[in-house]
């Protein structure tokens, strides 16, 4: 009888327990060494053998039922404690509208990256590979191998950032990619190499010290100026999604012979003259030419057997033409109001 009421008291107290530690205390209070059960067992020694047996079995039943209740409750408490801590530490890794409402902005692609990706795709569809090359270069890859020896006046045409050892430099053009590209393959091949280039120049609306080019090269047995013009026209039509006025002028670059300047009519002013086209109505966009025999030799290619064309596309100007941006300095401003205007590819 006494134990039955103890059990109902225990159950009542159990209802208020919410922590594992409290549950363990409650268990000790009822069936621990100082609890009523221990008292009962202490008194049992004076009882008759039948009494002892009866009390012993009732006490045992009491103990087992309390233990069973406690372990069931223990499990419940542990689960709810785990759930509570999961809830507390929860991180929402999805970018929800509520995050955006708090003022965070979704990222986007820089317009130069957008154009670069598009042009890579155009060339990939025409069977070109896409190559990469280091920003820090040596004199050989940036100049010598491209038919620009130390005494050549063309070295002064590109104001170079030299390292203190006077042997290394920040590449002044992506033409550096030509040499490694040629050495690593056998003709026929065609590849493009996009990337940053660096020149120690005064900055103005159309000049930056860091800008982007995309080099292109195609080498084979019968590559002609006709092929060059075809690829360049296809490229421009794809990029601008409309017909663009172009003109081809002779241009001098030590690594090509003959060399050309392919200009497009300024899309900012429609040819009337503005700061981007320096008031002439035309923008130099695509210097190109037939690869010089000395350059083929640097790449381990026999100029008697093979020839090719190469070009160096200025990506920043292309971006400016495409989006109507009148100052190249916006591209590096890091201004989110500027950057966020462009649609991702
Ligand atoms: N490397 C030249 C420059 O930065 C651009 C260039 C001109 C690349 C003619 C070429 C080329 O491949 O054929 O100014």
């Amino acid at each position: 009888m006494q134990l039955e009421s103890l059990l109902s008291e225990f159950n009542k107290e159990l209802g208020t327990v919410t922590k594992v530690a409290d549950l363990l205390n409650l268990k000790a209070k009822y069936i621990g060494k100082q609890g009523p059960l221990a008292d009962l067992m202490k008194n049992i020694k004076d009882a008759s053998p039948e009494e002892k047996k009866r009390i012993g079995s009732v006490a045992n039943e009491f103990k087992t039922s309390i233990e069973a209740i406690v372990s069931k409750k223990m499990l419940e408490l542990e689960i709810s404690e785990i759930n509570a801590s999961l809830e507390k530490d929860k991180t929402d890794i999805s970018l929800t509208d509520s995050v955006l409402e708090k003022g965070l902005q979704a990222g986007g692609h820089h317009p130069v990256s957008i154009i670069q990706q598009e042009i890579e795709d155009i060339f990939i569809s025409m069977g070109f590979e896409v190559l990469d090359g280091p920003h820090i270069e040596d004199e050989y890859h940036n100049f010598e191998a491209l038919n620009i020896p130390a005494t050549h006046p063309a070295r002064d045409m590109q104001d170079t950032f030299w390292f203190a050892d006077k042997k290394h430099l920040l590449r002044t053009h992506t033409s550096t990619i030509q040499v490694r590209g040629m050495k690593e393959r056998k003709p026929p091949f065609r590849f493009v190499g996009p990337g940053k280039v660096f020149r120690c120049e005064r900055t103005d609306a159309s000049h930056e010290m860091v800008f982007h080019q995309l080099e292109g090269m195609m080498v084979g047995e019968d590559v002609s100026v006709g092929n060059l013009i075809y690829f360049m026209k296809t490229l421009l039509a794809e990029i601008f999604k409309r017909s663009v006025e172009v003109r081809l002028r002779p241009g001098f670059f030590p690594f090509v012979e003959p060399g050309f300047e392919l200009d497009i009519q300024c899309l900012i002013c429609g040819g009337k003259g503005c700061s981007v086209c320096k008031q002439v109505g035309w923008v130099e966009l695509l210097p190109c030419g037939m690869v010089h025999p000395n350059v083929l030799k640097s790449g381990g290619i026999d100029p008697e057997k093979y020839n090719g064309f190469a070009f160096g596309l200025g990506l920043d100007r292309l971006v400016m033409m495409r989006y109507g941006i009148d100052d190249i300095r916006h591209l590096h401003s890091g201004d989110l109001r500027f950057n966020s205007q462009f649609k991702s590819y």
Side-chain angles (χ1 to χ4, degrees):
M1 258 327 266
Q2 205 193 0
L3 287 183
E4 260 170 41
S5 63
L6 263 183
L7 193 60
S8 73
E9 237 173 75
F10 170 81
N11 277 326
K12 221 187 280 164
E13 279 197 65
L14 186 75
T16 65
V17 167
T18 55
K19 289 199 196 101
V20 171
D22 293 344
L23 180 65
L24 291 174
N25 285 337
L26 187 67
K27 180 183 170 193
K29 181 175 164 192
Y30 282 84
I31 58 173
K33 284 197 184 97
Q34 257 101 55
L37 193 66
D39 287 346
L40 188 72
M41 296 311 278
K42 263 180 232 151
N43 299 334
I44 206 174
K45 57 182 184 304
D46 302 328
S48 67
E50 293 90 64
E51 270 292 88
K52 266 189 196 163
K53 210 173 156 195
R54 198 187 58 82
I55 297 174
S57 93
V58 174
N60 213 24
E61 211 175 288
F62 176 76
K63 194 171 169 222
T64 349
S65 43
I66 292 223
E67 276 170 351
I69 296 170
V70 165
S71 60
K72 185 165 165 257
K73 180 82 175 180
M74 182 70 87
L75 200 66
E76 283 169 24
L77 287 182
E78 279 173 355
I79 291 173
S80 70
E81 280 183 10
I82 290 170
N83 283 340
S85 88
L86 284 178
E87 187 60 33
K88 201 171 99 222
D89 298 339
K90 190 167 82 175
T91 309
D92 183 2
I93 56 165
S94 62
L95 188 64
T96 60
D97 289 349
S98 68
V99 175
L100 294 175
E101 276 158 20
K102 283 181 198 146
L104 293 177
Q105 294 183 1
H109 291 284
H110 190 275
V112 173
S113 309
I114 296 174
I115 287 263
Q116 182 180 320
Q117 186 67 46
E118 266 183 42
I119 297 177
E120 283 179 19
D121 287 347
I122 295 170
F123 277 106
I124 289 170
S125 76
M126 298 194 289
F128 283 69
E129 292 173 75
V130 180
L131 306 185
D132 200 4
H135 290 170
I136 298 176
E137 266 294 2
D138 51 33
E139 217 178 335
Y140 177 75
H141 287 92
N142 200 84
F143 294 122
E144 256 157 67
L146 293 166
N147 198 33
I148 318 175
T151 51
H152 201 290
R155 285 225 184 173
D156 301 332
M157 275 162 53
Q158 301 184 350
D159 300 302
T160 310
F161 284 112
W162 287 96
F163 281 77
D165 67 3
K166 298 270 191 291
K167 289 186 169 55
H168 290 87
L169 49 92
L170 291 177
R171 71 176 177 200
T172 58
H173 51 182
T174 46
S175 302
T176 51
I177 296 173
Q178 287 190 14
V179 187
R180 290 199 179 82
M182 282 188 287
K183 281 200 174 140
E184 287 160 7
R185 25 190 74 64
K186 297 234 167 307
F189 56 75
R190 43 181 100 168
F191 59 76
V192 291
K196 281 191 182 355
V197 297
F198 309 83
R199 289 199 201 161
C200 188
E201 281 187 352
R202 235 185 49 226
T203 311
D204 61 29
S206 51
H207 293 89
E208 263 285 19
M209 283 186 269
V210 182
F211 53 102
H212 303 81
Q213 291 184 335
L214 181 130
E215 195 74 15
M217 190 173 217
M218 174 168 173
V219 174
E221 269 183 47
D222 290 305
V223 180
S224 65
V225 176
N227 295 136
L228 169 63
I229 292 170
Y230 165 78
F231 278 106
M232 299 304 99
K233 278 196 165 167
T234 310
L235 170 69
L236 293 171
E238 292 267 354
I239 295 172
F240 292 108
K241 314 253 185 302
R242 57 171 151 149
S243 65
V244 178
E245 290 296 316
V246 298
R247 70 177 187 190
L248 204 61
R249 295 178 286 127
F252 172 72
F253 305 95
F255 26 93
V256 280
E257 180 56 41
F260 306 104
E261 285 284 3
L262 193 145
D263 301 340
I264 65 164
Q265 195 169 61
C266 183
L267 298 176
I268 304 277
C269 61
K272 288 195 207 76
C274 67
S275 67
V276 172
C277 61
K278 299 197 203 107
Q279 314 304 332
V280 293
W282 293 88
V283 179
E284 284 179 20
L285 197 64
L286 245 171
C288 50
M290 300 306 289
V291 184
H292 195 286
N294 288 350
V295 177
L296 289 172
K297 277 188 214 154
S298 311
I301 292 167
D302 180 359
E304 300 293 329
K305 192 162 177 215
Y306 299 105
N307 63 352
F309 68 72
F311 60 89
L313 183 61
L315 294 182
D316 307 73
R317 289 216 182 132
L318 208 53
V319 167
M320 293 167 76
M321 290 290 120
R322 156 79 91 76
Y323 295 108
I325 299 164
D326 62 0
D327 193 322
I328 193 172
R329 288 166 291 196
H330 287 306
L331 297 178
H332 283 214
S333 64
D335 189 335
L336 289 179
R337 289 170 307 176
F338 173 80
N339 288 349
S340 60
Q341 301 173 74
F342 305 93
K343 283 229 180 68
S344 294
Y345 45 81

